[in-house]
Amino acid sequence: MKFRLLFWIIGLLIMGGPLMAGPFDLVPLPASVVRGEGQFSLSRKTVIRYDGALAQEAVMAVKMLEPVLGFALETEVSGSAPENGVIRLQLNQPNDRLTGTEGYLLKITPQKILISANTAAGIFYGVQTLRQMAGESPAAVPAAVIIDYPRFPYRGVHVDVSRHFMPFASLFPLIDQMAAHKINVFHWHLVDDQGWRLEIKKYPRLTEVGAWRVDREDLHWNSRPLQKPGEKATYGGFYTQEQVRELVKYAQERHVTIIPEIEMPAHAMAALAAYPALSCTGENLGVSPGGVWPITHIFCAGKEETFHFLEDVLTETMELFPSTFIHVGGDEADKTEWKRCPLCQNRIKEEGLKDEHELQSYFITRMEKFLNKHNRKLLGWDEILEGGLAPEASVMSWRGEDGAIAAARSGHYAVMTPTSHCYFDYYQGDPSLEPPAFGGNITLKKVYDFEPVPAALTGEEAQYILGAQANHWSEFISTPEHLQYMMFPRLAALAEVVWSPKESRDWDDFSSRMKTQYARYALAGIPYARSAFQVKAHPRLIPETKSLEVEFTTEVSHPEIRYTLDGSVPGPVSPLYTGPVAVTRSVTARAAVFVDGKSVTTPLSRPFFLHKAVACPVNTRYPNSSRYDGSGAYTLVDGVKGSTNFNDGNWKGYYKDDLVATIDLGQPTSVRAVETHAIQDIGSWIFMPAGVVVEVSPDGEHFRRLGSATHAIPVTAAERILYDFRVKKRAENVRYVRVTARNLGTCPEGHAGAGQGAHLFVSEIVVN
Ligand code: ACM
Ligand code: ZN
């Protein structure tokens, strides 16, 4: 509060005259916005007048403003002409300490618009803000003083173009959007097991062979057999060096630095398909068409050729990318081959290393020396901490924040990109309403609530946190449109996290500003996600009355939620939701958010089952996994079936064990059918029960078999599948029902986890 007041006073001094406080719908929110009186009218007569050193920024300003104005403004270098009716781009003399290296002052009066900054980047960001303000009504840009600068110097977006190739032309609009969000780093994940996408002149096979894989797009990512002899590799693509230069320049003009990532020692199967001799075994496994786990086929750390090759590759990479940081991956290297390889073992001995972790550290440190020699800095995933961090390395903390904490405490820089908040390949809404995603659930609000500085760090250590980054891994993202869908609007939330002052974070305010941001996306033709408008139902079991109380929520602030309980589609005059709704019989609840009288998303549809076993005691022979406890004791009999998200709080998970559950119905009951609700999600190693047996008993001691049920769902099925194992048979005088669902025990052949433990998940046992 104090913070905002200070700026308000600064604004007051700059503007003179009476003021209204309050931001416009700017995203990310500037450090300070003070509204003035009147407005500036942007027209064809408006001229962009610039300091000589800002010629390039003037060109960019014309380009940036043209889509919102519908015409291109004239520019002229600043001279002695009067400055009314102009957009003035001006470098500060001397530097202004407050706005720093990327900040700006944007002062709009009825006479003139001034953008001043210490740097060209600051001017550029001032123009981005002006573009947002002008977008609403160019002829009446409201008078204001905006003082703005970023909270963090590293504001990143990562895109994986290996798992799925993104056409070259599709990258330009992404850079434009990054810039519009004041993002300044594009971390380009150019190589991985599933494709090498960067032309390297010295090693043409990297793209002749490494850029192409057999097309198994019709199979689940984690069930794609490797290339067979004689099979043609037809899926893929790569970027030529000429294209890379063009994109780098385009990004530079928009103050976006492209950091290339060349993965080592793992995620290298595409490179090893081209140059098999660089692995420990020399085997050629081809370019993997899908998921590989664990990742054992990696560069040999014992062969000198490996280092020569990688140094050559990095040499050409550095020629293409002027970024200070070069990302060398370093993640998820399984050391199985290194343990067996005489050359790797020899290296461990010769270098006096303790183990394979230290061998990885040797590997990365050696690459770092090479990069440092060329005045570059090494950046790597947090596994580069294992076995000892290279002396100058910076860490990208993805497995939570521990990597960043360790780095900062030892005086190394870190970029935050934890799976908890920054993995934009995860679901952003109800998985049953979303296109298939990697898993997890990172909603718009979850991103907005992200705090990049780990609480465990002291103020001094916190200086080592450079910023944060959104990661777009593309296992499940195969088109540019889908990539944009995953990126927007979550990038708006991340932009605010990394740019805006921490003190000004306010979800309600952001949520209301996003209405305008959505209109900007629509104007730019971005297929953004509306998942934040989805309605969620939160049923609460009332054991005493064996009924439910259902709350409806959505992420957006002040929603107009309308609902029905008869299964019909809610319309603009359906009951308005004002508080928890009682459900006393089996119904299907439907609900949607309405904006301006229209439903914004596919309405929620949630059935509730008030069956004979609801709120009855359940005993299980084997405990469920502690991580997958659903909602506790009544999970299997709470009237609620789980969704395709096994983490939605409705599922009990059993690792390797069977589910054997005995339900006490409390009194002799007549039973007609028993249904067991299960899920298969092979990407998370969850398989359908092999079969389900239902037994009944009058006394809890003598059980007789009521029936059994199996299924015909292939263990390779790509989608998440829900299935009810139904045993339909009458029985009287039943007090106890025992359900046995058989776990496969291990993941089947052909699955990425073949031979390792399998999960079984059940959400409800419906007794009718
Ligand atoms: C990663 O997600 N393997 C960095
Ligand atoms: Zn080796």
Side-chain angles (χ1 to χ4, degrees):
M1 219 48 226
K2 246 194 308 198
F3 183 81
R4 283 202 184 177
L5 189 64
L6 169 72
F7 280 110
W8 201 79
I9 292 165
I10 295 174
L12 190 74
L13 295 173
I14 295 175
M15 286 300 292
L19 296 168
M20 286 180 288
F24 313 97
D25 288 345
L26 298 173
V27 179
L29 188 70
S32 151
V33 179
V34 178
R35 196 169 184 151
E37 271 212 339
Q39 54 210 25
F40 181 92
S41 175
L42 259 170
S43 72
R44 286 177 190 277
K45 284 188 284 188
T46 308
V47 173
I48 296 177
R49 187 165 304 162
Y50 58 93
D51 285 358
L54 293 174
Q56 172 60 21
E57 295 312 322
V59 171
M60 292 312 296
V62 174
K63 275 193 197 167
M64 295 288 153
L65 291 169
E66 186 169 359
V68 292
L69 297 178
F71 50 84
L73 294 173
E74 298 292 324
T75 65
E76 62 186 32
V77 72
S78 137
S80 54
E83 299 218 315
N84 271 355
V86 304
I87 299 173
R88 178 77 169 92
L89 308 183
Q90 182 178 297
L91 280 175
N92 292 327
Q93 306 289 348
N95 279 359
D96 165 28
R97 281 180 50 203
L98 187 60
T99 53
T101 53
E102 293 181 289
Y104 61 90
L105 163 75
L106 169 60
K107 183 180 173 187
I108 302 167
T109 65
Q111 292 75 39
K112 160 181 168 179
I113 294 177
L114 168 70
I115 300 174
S116 67
N118 300 325
T119 62
I123 298 290
F124 181 82
Y125 291 129
V127 171
Q128 298 313 307
T129 300
L130 175 61
R131 168 160 76 163
Q132 290 194 349
M133 294 184 72
E136 291 172 47
S137 58
V141 187
V145 173
I146 295 178
I147 299 167
D148 197 15
Y149 48 83
R151 180 175 172 208
F152 293 101
Y154 187 115
R155 306 179 298 279
V157 164
H158 153 289
V159 176
D160 167 8
V161 293
S162 172
R163 273 56 178 272
H164 283 99
F165 179 67
M166 293 295 151
F168 180 58
S170 74
L171 301 174
F172 293 85
L174 287 187
I175 301 278
D176 283 331
Q177 282 302 323
M178 287 177 208
H181 288 78
K182 301 186 172 82
I183 294 295
N184 65 350
V185 175
F186 172 35
H187 169 178
W188 203 2
H189 188 81
L190 282 160
V191 310
D192 215 302
D193 296 309
Q194 294 82 4
W196 183 284
R197 308 284 175 225
L198 176 65
E199 180 189 28
I200 298 292
K201 304 267 194 207
K202 187 158 182 185
Y203 299 101
R205 286 177 60 79
L206 282 174
T207 43
E208 286 165 12
V209 174
W212 304 96
R213 66 189 193 221
V214 284
D215 188 341
R216 308 238 194 276
E217 294 299 300
D218 53 330
L219 298 178
H220 187 277
W221 182 258
N222 287 327
S223 301
R224 296 183 179 176
L226 291 176
Q227 187 169 4
K228 297 193 175 70
E231 256 189 310
K232 264 211 151 50
T234 55
Y235 178 90
F238 65 95
Y239 310 104
T240 65
Q241 294 202 349
E242 198 183 346
Q243 287 177 323
V244 168
R245 286 201 174 88
E246 185 186 342
L247 193 73
V248 166
K249 177 167 180 288
Y250 189 85
Q252 266 174 341
E253 289 169 354
R254 287 150 185 81
H255 298 276
V256 172
T257 300
I258 305 187
I259 297 179
E261 179 177 359
I262 305 294
E263 280 263 27
M264 61 190 78
H267 290 282
M269 280 178 68
L272 296 174
Y275 298 97
L278 299 177
S279 71
C280 293
T281 64
E283 262 180 304
N284 189 349
L285 303 180
V287 180
S288 179
V292 187
W293 196 261
I295 302 170
T296 53
H297 198 54
I298 67 180
F299 284 116
C300 176
K303 293 176 180 166
E304 278 304 291
E305 303 92 283
T306 298
F307 294 95
H308 296 156
F309 167 84
L310 287 170
E311 288 179 5
D312 290 343
V313 167
L314 288 178
T315 298
E316 289 193 34
T317 304
M318 287 187 288
E319 281 164 11
L320 294 169
F321 297 95
S323 61
T324 304
F325 279 127
I326 302 289
H327 201 302
V328 298
D331 57 324
E332 300 182 318
D334 181 286
K335 313 296 192 300
T336 304
E337 287 189 4
W338 284 6
K339 282 184 185 147
R340 292 193 197 123
C341 170
L343 294 175
C344 285
Q345 291 305 313
N346 198 37
R347 177 84 72 189
I348 288 178
K349 217 176 298 149
E350 274 183 357
E351 296 291 333
L353 307 172
K354 203 170 75 207
D355 56 15
E356 289 73 22
H357 289 302
E358 290 201 356
L359 182 57
Q360 157 135 346
S361 172
Y362 163 87
F363 197 119
I364 300 292
T365 302
R366 195 165 158 179
M367 299 320 299
E368 174 175 80
K369 280 199 191 112
F370 180 76
L371 290 174
N372 289 168
K373 208 168 71 192
H374 295 85
N375 297 316
R376 305 303 181 96
K377 290 185 181 159
L378 182 143
L379 182 56
W381 302 109
D382 57 40
E383 286 93 333
I384 65 172
L385 284 152
E386 293 163 8
L389 189 55
E392 304 288 327
S394 299
V395 171
M396 201 162 255
S397 192
W398 72 279
R399 296 172 303 175
E401 54 183 34
D402 290 354
I405 293 170
R409 288 196 172 147
S410 57
H412 291 259
Y413 287 101
V415 174
M416 304 302 298
T417 182
T419 52
S420 58
H421 295 81
C422 295
Y423 270 46
F424 285 15
D425 55 331
Y426 287 12
Y427 284 104
Q428 55 191 316
D430 179 348
S432 69
L433 303 176
E434 295 287 335
F438 191 86
N441 210 291
I442 298 179
T443 65
L444 184 63
K445 184 164 189 305
K446 176 106 187 173
V447 178
Y448 193 76
D449 289 340
F450 178 48
E451 171 44 43
V453 176
L457 295 184
T458 64
E460 195 159 316
E461 290 162 350
Q463 303 301 310
Y464 288 98
I465 304 300
L466 291 175
Q469 172 176 290
N471 288 350
H472 301 82
W473 300 101
S474 61
E475 287 93 336
F476 296 90
I477 304 176
S478 60
T479 65
E481 293 73 28
H482 190 185
L483 176 60
Q484 291 188 320
Y485 178 86
M486 300 306 274
M487 198 177 285
F488 306 106
R490 286 188 287 190
L491 191 60
L494 188 82
E496 198 137 321
V497 167
V498 290
W499 179 279
S500 308
K502 185 181 174 184
E503 300 85 334
S504 66
R505 209 97 62 79
D506 178 333
W507 170 255
D508 278 353
D509 181 55
F510 174 76
S511 181
S512 91
R513 276 182 285 123
M514 283 305 286
K515 194 170 175 189
T516 306
Q517 186 74 1
Y518 292 133
R520 291 180 190 127
Y521 291 155
L523 184 73
I526 295 172
Y528 65 95
R530 291 163 177 82
S531 317
F533 291 91
Q534 285 169 5
V535 177
K536 273 202 186 119
H538 307 269
R540 191 170 70 86
L541 179 68
I542 321 259
E544 299 75 35
T545 55
K546 295 183 184 281
S547 71
L548 295 169
E549 212 173 63
V550 181
E551 192 188 352
F552 295 123
T553 62
T554 185
E555 285 204 329
V556 293
S557 293
H558 312 297
E560 178 187 326
I561 298 176
R562 295 186 180 272
Y563 72 96
T564 63
L565 291 180
D566 61 2
S568 65
V569 176
V573 295
S574 297
L576 181 68
Y577 175 75
T578 54
V581 176
V583 170
T584 54
R585 60 193 166 80
S586 294
V587 298
T588 292
R590 306 206 68 184
V593 171
F594 284 74
V595 174
D596 302 331
K598 286 202 193 78
S599 171
V600 181
T601 57
T602 310
L604 165 86
S605 181
R606 269 303 280 286
F608 298 109
F609 305 87
L610 291 181
H611 55 88
K612 289 172 180 165
V614 164
C616 292
V618 182
N619 257 309
T620 50
R621 184 173 300 163
Y622 308 108
N624 53 273
S625 313
S626 55
R627 284 171 66 195
Y628 304 116
D629 187 39
S631 54
Y634 288 117
T635 303
L636 297 176
V637 288
D638 61 0
V640 180
K641 289 184 182 177
S643 70
T644 51
N645 170 15
F646 67 87
N647 253 325
D648 69 3
N650 293 308
W651 294 98
K652 279 204 184 258
Y654 297 84
Y655 184 59
K656 297 186 189 168
D657 287 329
D658 295 342
L659 160 71
V660 185
T662 307
I663 305 169
D664 178 358
L665 298 175
Q667 60 191 29
T669 305
S670 126
V671 167
R672 282 181 287 121
V674 177
E675 275 177 19
T676 304
H677 188 64
I679 183 174
Q680 177 163 292
D681 179 352
I682 68 168
S684 298
W685 305 22
I686 300 167
F687 298 89
M688 276 298 162
V692 170
V693 174
V694 177
E695 297 160 290
V696 292
S697 164
D699 55 11
E701 280 177 27
H702 306 90
F703 280 87
R704 70 179 176 86
R705 185 183 170 104
L706 187 67
S708 65
T710 56
H711 66 90
I713 297 161
V715 291
T716 50
E719 328 80 61
R720 293 174 175 78
I721 297 174
L722 300 173
Y723 187 74
D724 286 305
F725 290 79
R726 187 167 294 138
V727 172
K728 192 161 177 271
K729 204 163 168 196
R730 278 186 183 281
E732 302 302 325
N733 199 26
V734 174
R735 167 82 189 262
Y736 296 90
V737 175
R738 183 160 73 199
V739 170
T740 301
R742 227 171 66 236
N743 195 318
L744 292 191
T746 55
C747 301
E749 274 316 305
H751 183 266
Q756 301 175 57
H759 294 273
L760 173 152
F761 275 60
V762 170
S763 77
E764 188 76 4
I765 298 171
V766 176
V767 178
N768 278 319

